[in-house]
Amino acid sequence: MPRSASSAVDKALDLVEAVARADRPQRLADLAQAAGLHRATAYRVLLDLIRRGWVMRVGEHYLPGPSAIGLSAAAADHSLTALCRPVLADLAARTELMVNLQVLAADRSRVIDVVRPTRLDMISDLLGEHLPVHRFAGPLALVAALAGPARDPYLAVAQEQGHDRADLIADLERVRADGFAVERGRNDKLIASISRAVVAANGRPLCAVTVVGPDAEFTPARLRQLRLDLTAATARVSEVLGEVADR
């Protein structure tokens, strides 16, 4: 039931919490019901929250905004996966390969969404896994977008496992210059992957889109096409995340 006695702060926080807790984008009616507010009241408060960056609106749906994303990993995951899923699905259908979305965690990347064609069910999707920079294309693409000391936690993990820091830095610089990270056989000799990071205007890596499949299918011609497909896909992700990326 609507709580007319709630303060303006209560109403705003109730709506922010309702948006952040949801596992998918919410409509106005859903949020009004979850927060116990009249639709008109919820709409007015949401307008203020959008203006302040706590909520963002995509079509008729509301998702965590850049301010909420900055404070909550769960909000970031829900927002990114909801916005990027159509791009991942389209890329998977176009390439007939597995596509995943990754973000940086403390010292590895984390896989937050995966679209896997049925024919590749034998390949682990790694959803929710934390991946080290020296074994996977996704973290390599993301860490390459970082500079200086920001790379250190990711390099430390590789060094602890016997990898040479200078060699890995050279790999990162090649990826940074090229824009693509390619891995073949470091984690699984039969699996290959290619990844490209989506970077905000301030240079911060927001996420990486990675295409994964059997190594035998990653011929030179196929890799050239995958680079084109990934470039188009990450450009679309940049457009959808424009409001976040500009913050």
Side-chain angles (χ1 to χ4, degrees):
M1 294 291 293
R3 300 191 301 273
S4 57
S6 296
S7 70
V9 173
D10 287 332
K11 293 170 184 175
L13 289 176
D14 285 345
L15 284 169
V16 169
E17 290 174 355
V19 172
R21 283 196 304 262
D23 60 0
R24 62 185 182 278
Q26 299 287 289
R27 292 180 178 272
L28 174 60
D30 301 324
L31 293 174
Q33 182 177 13
L37 298 172
H38 291 291
R39 284 171 59 106
T41 302
Y43 180 72
R44 288 195 300 271
V45 177
L46 284 167
L47 289 178
D48 286 334
L49 292 172
I50 291 168
R51 180 173 55 82
R52 293 293 298 270
W54 287 97
V55 174
M56 64 178 166
R57 182 175 178 177
V58 179
E60 296 302 314
H61 294 85
Y62 297 86
L63 302 99
S67 296
I69 287 173
L71 295 177
S72 167
D77 289 0
H78 293 159
S79 183
L80 286 172
T81 56
L83 291 173
C84 298
R85 172 50 79 102
V87 180
L88 302 189
D90 180 69
L91 184 57
R94 180 185 303 275
T95 62
E96 297 185 325
L97 296 170
M98 182 163 64
V99 179
N100 69 49
L101 185 70
Q102 298 179 39
V103 295
L104 283 176
D107 57 6
R108 295 168 173 82
S109 73
R110 181 160 46 88
V111 180
I112 63 172
D113 198 17
V114 180
V115 178
R116 180 176 57 185
T118 304
R119 78 180 187 95
L120 297 181
D121 280 350
M122 77 294 292
I123 300 179
S124 173
D125 63 16
L126 300 177
L127 182 62
E129 296 287 333
H130 289 71
L131 310 182
V133 68
H134 59 288
R135 291 174 58 191
F136 295 90
L140 192 62
L142 287 165
V143 176
L146 300 175
R151 291 177 172 178
D152 288 346
Y154 308 94
L155 295 173
V157 172
Q159 287 179 269
E160 288 170 4
Q161 297 186 26
H163 288 262
D164 183 78
R165 180 184 176 93
D167 288 346
L168 190 50
I169 289 175
D171 286 344
L172 291 170
E173 290 305 317
R174 281 192 290 271
V175 171
R176 188 181 182 95
D178 182 56
F180 297 88
V182 178
E183 285 293 354
R184 308 187 77 159
R186 286 195 182 183
N187 184 63
D188 185 324
K189 293 187 182 300
L190 299 179
I191 305 301
S193 57
I194 179 170
S195 184
R196 183 171 173 83
V198 176
V199 180
N202 62 6
R204 176 172 59 93
L206 295 171
C207 58
V209 179
T210 306
V211 178
V212 183
D215 181 77
E217 297 184 20
F218 279 57
T219 62
R222 189 74 190 281
L223 274 170
R224 286 193 294 272
Q225 184 58 51
L226 288 175
R227 289 168 72 100
L228 295 175
D229 293 336
L230 261 179
T231 298
T234 51
R236 285 179 59 196
V237 170
S238 292
E239 289 177 9
V240 232
L241 299 183
E243 183 174 344
V244 177
D246 289 342
R247 290 277 173 161

